[in-house]
Amino acid sequence: MESEGVGIPFFSIVIPAYNREKEIVRAIDSCLNQSFHEIEVVVVDDASTDHTAEVVAAMDDPRVRLIRHTINRNVCPARNTGSDHSRGEWVVFLDSDDILTPGALQMMWKYARVCPDEIAQLGFQFDREDGRVSPEPIPQECLLDYTGFIRLCEDLVLTDWVQCTRRFTFDFVRFPESRAYESPYLLDFTQKYKIHLIPEIAGYKFLDSPNRITLNVGSDVVLKISRVAPDHLAATDYILKRHGKMLKIHSPRRYRLFRKMQLLACFLAGWRWRGSHLGMSYLLSYPGDVSGWAITMAGLAGPQTLTKIRLMKQQLANLAAKYSLRSKTTGGGA
Protein backbone atom coordinates (compact mmCIF):
# COMPACT_ATOMS: atom_id res chain seq x y z
CA MET A 1 0.00 0.00 0.00
CA GLU A 2 1.87 3.07 -1.25
CA SER A 3 1.08 6.75 -0.80
CA GLU A 4 0.82 7.73 -4.48
CA GLY A 5 0.12 11.39 -5.12
CA VAL A 6 1.19 12.48 -1.63
CA GLY A 7 3.97 15.08 -1.43
CA ILE A 8 7.22 14.61 0.43
CA PRO A 9 6.32 14.60 4.15
CA PHE A 10 8.12 16.49 6.87
CA PHE A 11 7.61 13.68 9.39
CA SER A 12 7.64 9.93 8.80
CA ILE A 13 6.03 8.16 11.75
CA VAL A 14 7.38 4.60 11.87
CA ILE A 15 5.25 2.07 13.76
CA PRO A 16 6.58 -1.50 14.18
CA ALA A 17 3.71 -3.91 14.85
CA TYR A 18 3.44 -7.56 15.83
CA ASN A 19 0.03 -9.08 16.59
CA ARG A 20 -1.58 -5.75 17.45
CA GLU A 21 -4.76 -5.89 15.36
CA LYS A 22 -6.77 -4.29 18.19
CA GLU A 23 -4.30 -1.54 19.06
CA ILE A 24 -2.83 -0.54 15.68
CA VAL A 25 -5.80 1.55 14.50
CA ARG A 26 -5.64 3.58 17.70
CA ALA A 27 -1.94 4.29 17.11
CA ILE A 28 -2.39 5.21 13.44
CA ASP A 29 -5.44 7.40 14.11
CA SER A 30 -3.46 9.36 16.70
CA CYS A 31 -1.06 10.28 13.86
CA LEU A 32 -3.64 10.97 11.14
CA ASN A 33 -5.76 13.15 13.44
CA GLN A 34 -2.90 15.54 14.21
CA SER A 35 -3.26 19.20 13.28
CA PHE A 36 0.04 18.93 11.40
CA HIS A 37 -0.62 17.14 8.08
CA GLU A 38 2.73 16.88 6.24
CA ILE A 39 3.23 13.30 7.39
CA GLU A 40 3.35 9.69 6.35
CA VAL A 41 2.73 6.72 8.62
CA VAL A 42 4.97 3.74 7.84
CA VAL A 43 3.69 0.60 9.55
CA VAL A 44 6.13 -2.30 9.58
CA ASP A 45 4.22 -5.51 10.18
CA ASP A 46 6.72 -7.89 11.76
CA ALA A 47 5.21 -11.10 10.36
CA SER A 48 2.10 -10.95 12.54
CA THR A 49 0.05 -14.11 12.86
CA ASP A 50 -3.21 -12.23 13.49
CA HIS A 51 -4.97 -9.67 11.24
CA THR A 52 -2.69 -6.70 11.94
CA ALA A 53 -1.53 -6.36 8.34
CA GLU A 54 -5.05 -6.69 6.95
CA VAL A 55 -6.35 -4.03 9.34
CA VAL A 56 -3.64 -1.59 8.22
CA ALA A 57 -4.09 -2.40 4.52
CA ALA A 58 -7.81 -1.62 4.81
CA MET A 59 -7.22 1.91 6.09
CA ASP A 60 -8.37 4.40 3.47
CA ASP A 61 -5.73 7.11 3.74
CA PRO A 62 -2.90 7.64 1.22
CA ARG A 63 -0.57 8.75 4.02
CA VAL A 64 -0.51 5.21 5.46
CA ARG A 65 2.05 2.80 4.05
CA LEU A 66 2.40 -0.88 4.96
CA ILE A 67 5.71 -2.75 4.85
CA ARG A 68 5.70 -6.45 5.73
CA HIS A 69 8.43 -8.67 7.12
CA THR A 70 8.17 -12.28 5.96
CA ILE A 71 9.67 -13.53 9.23
CA ASN A 72 9.43 -12.08 12.74
CA ARG A 73 12.58 -10.04 13.46
CA ASN A 74 11.56 -7.87 16.44
CA VAL A 75 11.24 -4.15 17.06
CA CYS A 76 14.77 -2.88 16.35
CA PRO A 77 15.07 -4.48 12.89
CA ALA A 78 11.50 -3.27 12.17
CA ARG A 79 12.57 0.27 13.01
CA ASN A 80 15.50 -0.08 10.62
CA THR A 81 13.12 -1.27 7.91
CA GLY A 82 10.76 1.62 8.59
CA SER A 83 13.53 4.21 8.43
CA ASP A 84 14.78 2.67 5.16
CA HIS A 85 11.31 3.10 3.61
CA SER A 86 10.61 6.55 5.07
CA ARG A 87 10.71 9.74 3.01
CA GLY A 88 10.37 12.47 5.62
CA GLU A 89 13.11 14.80 6.82
CA TRP A 90 12.49 13.58 10.36
CA VAL A 91 11.54 10.07 11.55
CA VAL A 92 9.31 9.67 14.63
CA PHE A 93 9.13 6.22 16.24
CA LEU A 94 5.89 5.09 17.87
CA ASP A 95 5.14 1.67 19.33
CA SER A 96 1.97 0.05 18.04
CA ASP A 97 0.23 0.11 21.43
CA ASP A 98 1.05 3.79 22.09
CA ILE A 99 -0.35 7.03 20.69
CA LEU A 100 0.77 10.54 19.86
CA THR A 101 -0.98 13.12 22.03
CA PRO A 102 -3.10 15.81 20.31
CA GLY A 103 -0.92 18.59 18.90
CA ALA A 104 2.27 16.54 19.32
CA LEU A 105 3.49 16.86 15.73
CA GLN A 106 2.79 20.60 15.59
CA MET A 107 4.84 20.98 18.76
CA MET A 108 7.65 18.80 17.34
CA TRP A 109 7.65 20.83 14.11
CA LYS A 110 8.06 24.02 16.14
CA TYR A 111 11.36 22.69 17.46
CA ALA A 112 12.48 20.76 14.36
CA ARG A 113 12.20 23.67 11.91
CA VAL A 114 14.70 25.77 13.89
CA CYS A 115 16.88 22.89 15.07
CA PRO A 116 20.63 23.54 14.60
CA ASP A 117 22.48 21.12 12.33
CA GLU A 118 24.52 19.78 15.25
CA ILE A 119 21.37 18.30 16.83
CA ALA A 120 20.20 15.10 15.15
CA GLN A 121 17.49 13.93 17.55
CA LEU A 122 14.76 15.65 19.52
CA GLY A 123 13.42 13.73 22.51
CA PHE A 124 9.97 14.34 24.02
CA GLN A 125 8.19 12.83 27.01
CA PHE A 126 5.70 10.00 27.34
CA ASP A 127 2.72 10.22 29.67
CA ARG A 128 2.04 6.68 30.92
CA GLU A 129 -1.06 4.72 31.82
CA ASP A 130 0.32 4.12 35.32
CA GLY A 131 0.46 7.86 36.01
CA ARG A 132 4.21 8.23 35.61
CA VAL A 133 6.07 10.30 33.01
CA SER A 134 9.03 8.96 31.05
CA PRO A 135 11.92 9.71 31.11
CA GLU A 136 11.95 9.55 34.90
CA PRO A 137 13.23 11.54 36.67
CA ILE A 138 12.08 14.29 34.33
CA PRO A 139 15.18 15.97 32.89
CA GLN A 140 15.38 19.69 32.47
CA GLU A 141 15.65 20.89 28.89
CA CYS A 142 19.10 19.72 27.92
CA LEU A 143 21.49 19.13 25.05
CA LEU A 144 23.28 15.80 25.24
CA ASP A 145 26.58 14.80 23.71
CA TYR A 146 28.14 11.37 24.32
CA THR A 147 29.38 12.13 27.83
CA GLY A 148 26.20 14.00 28.72
CA PHE A 149 24.01 11.10 27.60
CA ILE A 150 26.00 8.61 29.65
CA ARG A 151 25.78 10.87 32.71
CA LEU A 152 22.02 11.15 32.21
CA CYS A 153 21.74 7.34 32.16
CA GLU A 154 23.12 7.16 35.69
CA ASP A 155 19.89 8.36 37.32
CA LEU A 156 17.20 7.29 34.82
CA VAL A 157 14.54 4.90 36.12
CA LEU A 158 12.25 5.09 33.05
CA THR A 159 14.25 5.55 29.86
CA ASP A 160 11.64 5.81 27.07
CA TRP A 161 11.13 9.05 25.19
CA VAL A 162 9.46 9.93 21.89
CA GLN A 163 12.35 9.93 19.44
CA CYS A 164 12.24 12.41 16.55
CA THR A 165 15.40 11.81 14.50
CA ARG A 166 16.87 13.21 11.30
CA ARG A 167 16.39 10.55 8.63
CA PHE A 168 19.88 10.79 7.14
CA THR A 169 21.44 9.56 10.41
CA PHE A 170 20.18 6.02 9.76
CA ASP A 171 22.71 5.78 6.94
CA PHE A 172 25.39 5.85 9.64
CA VAL A 173 23.90 4.60 12.92
CA ARG A 174 21.45 1.69 12.99
CA PHE A 175 19.40 -0.17 15.56
CA PRO A 176 20.63 -3.70 16.37
CA GLU A 177 19.65 -6.19 13.66
CA SER A 178 18.61 -8.63 16.36
CA ARG A 179 16.10 -9.07 19.17
CA ALA A 180 18.17 -6.88 21.47
CA TYR A 181 16.87 -3.58 22.81
CA GLU A 182 17.95 -0.14 21.62
CA SER A 183 20.70 0.71 24.14
CA PRO A 184 23.57 0.03 21.69
CA TYR A 185 21.91 2.37 19.18
CA LEU A 186 21.56 5.31 21.57
CA LEU A 187 25.12 4.97 22.83
CA ASP A 188 26.49 4.77 19.28
CA PHE A 189 24.21 7.63 18.21
CA THR A 190 25.49 10.03 20.85
CA GLN A 191 29.09 9.24 19.90
CA LYS A 192 28.34 10.85 16.53
CA TYR A 193 25.36 13.19 17.06
CA LYS A 194 23.69 15.29 19.76
CA ILE A 195 20.24 14.82 21.30
CA HIS A 196 18.05 17.66 22.54
CA LEU A 197 15.72 16.45 25.31
CA ILE A 198 12.66 18.67 25.68
CA PRO A 199 10.34 18.40 28.73
CA GLU A 200 7.04 18.41 26.79
CA ILE A 201 4.57 15.53 26.43
CA ALA A 202 4.28 14.09 22.91
CA GLY A 203 3.07 10.51 23.48
CA TYR A 204 0.92 8.34 25.71
CA LYS A 205 2.10 4.85 26.64
CA PHE A 206 -0.44 2.11 27.28
CA LEU A 207 0.71 -0.81 29.44
CA ASP A 208 -2.04 -3.41 29.03
CA SER A 209 -1.40 -5.05 25.65
CA PRO A 210 -2.01 -8.80 25.95
CA ASN A 211 1.25 -9.86 24.27
CA ARG A 212 3.55 -7.99 26.66
CA ILE A 213 5.95 -10.55 28.12
CA THR A 214 5.65 -9.21 31.65
CA LEU A 215 1.93 -10.06 31.72
CA ASN A 216 2.53 -13.80 31.32
CA VAL A 217 4.69 -16.50 32.87
CA GLY A 218 3.68 -19.48 30.71
CA SER A 219 6.10 -22.06 29.34
CA ASP A 220 5.95 -20.46 25.87
CA VAL A 221 7.19 -17.16 27.35
CA VAL A 222 9.99 -18.97 29.18
CA LEU A 223 11.10 -20.55 25.89
CA LYS A 224 10.89 -17.21 24.08
CA ILE A 225 13.07 -15.45 26.64
CA SER A 226 15.67 -18.22 26.46
CA ARG A 227 15.60 -18.07 22.66
CA VAL A 228 16.31 -14.33 22.48
CA ALA A 229 18.88 -14.33 25.30
CA PRO A 230 21.88 -14.77 22.93
CA ASP A 231 20.91 -11.54 21.16
CA HIS A 232 20.76 -9.66 24.46
CA LEU A 233 24.09 -11.17 25.48
CA ALA A 234 25.69 -10.06 22.21
CA ALA A 235 24.31 -6.55 22.72
CA THR A 236 25.63 -6.22 26.28
CA ASP A 237 28.99 -7.68 25.21
CA TYR A 238 29.13 -4.99 22.52
CA ILE A 239 28.12 -2.20 24.91
CA LEU A 240 30.72 -3.14 27.51
CA LYS A 241 33.46 -3.52 24.90
CA ARG A 242 32.72 -0.26 23.04
CA HIS A 243 31.29 1.95 25.79
CA GLY A 244 32.27 0.24 29.04
CA LYS A 245 35.18 2.55 29.89
CA MET A 246 33.06 5.70 29.60
CA LEU A 247 30.13 4.09 31.42
CA LYS A 248 32.36 3.04 34.30
CA ILE A 249 33.68 6.61 34.66
CA HIS A 250 30.53 8.67 34.12
CA SER A 251 27.67 6.27 34.95
CA PRO A 252 28.91 3.59 37.36
CA ARG A 253 25.41 2.38 38.31
CA ARG A 254 24.47 1.94 34.65
CA TYR A 255 27.80 0.20 34.02
CA ARG A 256 27.02 -2.17 36.88
CA LEU A 257 23.54 -2.76 35.44
CA PHE A 258 24.96 -3.69 32.03
CA ARG A 259 27.35 -6.12 33.67
CA LYS A 260 24.42 -7.68 35.53
CA MET A 261 22.41 -7.85 32.29
CA GLN A 262 25.37 -9.58 30.64
CA LEU A 263 25.45 -12.14 33.45
CA LEU A 264 21.69 -12.67 33.30
CA ALA A 265 21.61 -13.05 29.50
CA CYS A 266 24.49 -15.52 29.59
CA PHE A 267 22.67 -17.81 32.02
CA LEU A 268 19.34 -17.41 30.19
CA ALA A 269 21.08 -18.51 26.99
CA GLY A 270 22.11 -21.69 28.83
CA TRP A 271 25.84 -20.94 28.86
CA ARG A 272 26.58 -21.96 32.42
CA TRP A 273 30.37 -22.23 32.04
CA ARG A 274 30.79 -18.66 30.82
CA GLY A 275 28.04 -17.56 33.22
CA SER A 276 29.90 -18.98 36.18
CA HIS A 277 33.02 -17.02 35.19
CA LEU A 278 31.03 -13.82 34.63
CA GLY A 279 29.28 -14.38 37.96
CA MET A 280 32.58 -14.77 39.78
CA SER A 281 33.95 -11.60 38.17
CA TYR A 282 30.78 -9.65 38.95
CA LEU A 283 30.60 -10.78 42.58
CA LEU A 284 34.27 -9.97 43.12
CA SER A 285 33.50 -6.44 41.94
CA TYR A 286 30.18 -6.13 43.82
CA PRO A 287 30.24 -8.67 46.69
CA GLY A 288 27.32 -7.02 48.50
CA ASP A 289 24.89 -7.22 45.56
CA VAL A 290 22.24 -9.69 46.69
CA SER A 291 20.58 -9.81 43.26
CA GLY A 292 23.93 -10.68 41.68
CA TRP A 293 24.23 -13.65 44.00
CA ALA A 294 20.61 -14.65 43.26
CA ILE A 295 21.14 -14.50 39.47
CA THR A 296 24.30 -16.58 39.75
CA MET A 297 22.75 -19.23 41.99
CA ALA A 298 19.53 -19.49 39.97
CA GLY A 299 21.48 -19.41 36.71
CA LEU A 300 23.59 -22.36 37.78
CA ALA A 301 20.32 -24.23 38.39
CA GLY A 302 19.35 -23.70 34.74
CA PRO A 303 17.81 -21.09 32.43
CA GLN A 304 14.20 -22.17 32.98
CA THR A 305 14.46 -21.74 36.75
CA LEU A 306 16.07 -18.33 36.33
CA THR A 307 13.49 -17.18 33.78
CA LYS A 308 10.51 -18.19 35.93
CA ILE A 309 11.95 -16.40 38.95
CA ARG A 310 12.57 -13.24 36.92
CA LEU A 311 9.05 -13.25 35.45
CA MET A 312 7.37 -13.82 38.80
CA LYS A 313 9.40 -10.96 40.26
CA GLN A 314 8.26 -8.73 37.40
CA GLN A 315 4.62 -9.69 37.93
CA LEU A 316 4.85 -8.85 41.63
CA ALA A 317 6.40 -5.48 40.73
CA ASN A 318 3.55 -4.82 38.26
CA LEU A 319 0.94 -5.67 40.87
CA ALA A 320 2.64 -3.45 43.44
CA ALA A 321 2.72 -0.56 40.96
CA LYS A 322 -0.98 -0.99 40.12
CA TYR A 323 -1.91 -1.14 43.83
CA SER A 324 0.18 1.97 44.53
CA LEU A 325 -1.54 3.86 41.72
CA ARG A 326 -4.98 2.70 42.85
CA SER A 327 -4.21 3.76 46.43
CA LYS A 328 -3.24 7.24 45.25
CA THR A 329 -6.46 7.47 43.27
CA THR A 330 -8.71 6.28 46.09
CA GLY A 331 -6.89 8.07 48.89
CA GLY A 332 -5.21 4.91 50.16
CA GLY A 333 -8.30 3.35 51.75
CA ALA A 334 -8.43 -0.40 52.25
Side-chain angles (χ1 to χ4, degrees), residues 204-269:
Y204 186 85
K205 183 167 285 293
F206 293 92
L207 304 174
D208 60 350
S209 296
N211 59 346
R212 282 182 176 268
I213 286 179
T214 53
L215 297 180
N216 301 284
V217 294
S219 59
D220 57 332
V221 176
V222 172
L223 291 173
K224 180 179 179 181
I225 291 175
S226 298
R227 190 167 61 247
V228 304
D231 287 349
H232 294 299
L233 177 60
T236 51
D237 284 346
Y238 173 84
I239 288 170
L240 290 169
K241 180 178 180 180
R242 185 180 177 102
H243 304 285
K245 182 177 179 180
M246 288 290 286
L247 285 162
K248 189 174 183 179
I249 295 171
H250 298 291
S251 186
R253 285 197 296 271
R254 188 66 55 171
Y255 172 75
R256 178 176 176 176
L257 176 62
F258 280 126
R259 285 193 61 184
K260 192 183 299 186
M261 289 170 61
Q262 181 188 41
L263 174 62
L264 177 64
C266 191
F267 276 127
L268 289 175

Side-chain angles (χ1 to χ4, degrees), residues 45 89 109 207 221 229 247 255 303 305 314 316:
D45 178 69
E89 182 178 344
W109 175 80
L207 304 174
V221 176
L247 285 162
Y255 172 75
T305 300
Q314 183 62 55
L316 288 173

